[in-house]
Amino acid sequence: LASTKQSKRAVLPDVRRPLTLDAFLGDPPAALQVMLVEPGAPGGADAEPLSALQGAAIPQDATLFVGPEGGWTEGELAQARSRGVRLVTMGHRTLRADATPVAAISVLQFLFGDL
């Protein structure tokens, strides 16, 4: 709550219990669903650059999927893609799993004019 107030956000983020990918994908989808894929990941050959979202309409809500250390499996990528999740990459570098969310959210905030 304190972080929400400090950053002047109007909505307190929902912090949920851990879910399997299958269970989460069964929930009603957010307006924008983005799964970050490591460059060159098997099954992620059609991943688009994160910058492809530039110029898109600002979504009401979004889900950002950040994979585990070692990346997503081909089955997880196929499952996400079949549920309408956009596979994107942050370029040719592979970032650590703990640094990726901070970098990706910052880029999304920039792309959607929230920085």
Side-chain angles (χ1 to χ4, degrees):
L1 181 58
S3 294
T4 301
K5 289 178 181 178
Q6 179 183 10
S7 63
K8 297 180 176 71
R9 303 216 36 104
V11 178
L12 182 65
D14 186 23
V15 179
R16 300 174 60 181
R17 63 179 173 76
L19 298 170
T20 64
L21 179 62
D22 189 49
F24 189 84
L25 288 171
D27 282 354
L32 174 66
Q33 296 183 97
V34 175
M35 178 177 269
L36 296 176
V37 179
E38 291 183 52
D46 59 345
E48 57 191 320
L50 189 57
S51 62
L53 299 173
Q54 190 168 17
I58 298 171
Q60 180 176 345
D61 58 357
T63 298
L64 177 66
F65 295 89
V66 178
E69 301 247 353
W72 300 103
T73 66
E74 288 185 54
E76 290 168 331
L77 294 173
Q79 182 181 18
R81 188 182 300 112
S82 74
R83 302 269 181 92
V85 177
R86 290 178 76 168
L87 305 184
V88 300
T89 182
M90 289 184 57
H92 65 281
R93 299 192 197 298
T94 298
L95 302 177
R96 290 181 50 92
D98 57 349
T100 301
V102 174
I105 290 170
S106 297
V107 170
L108 289 173
Q109 284 185 288
F110 173 77
L111 291 176
F112 294 123
D114 192 33
L115 271 185

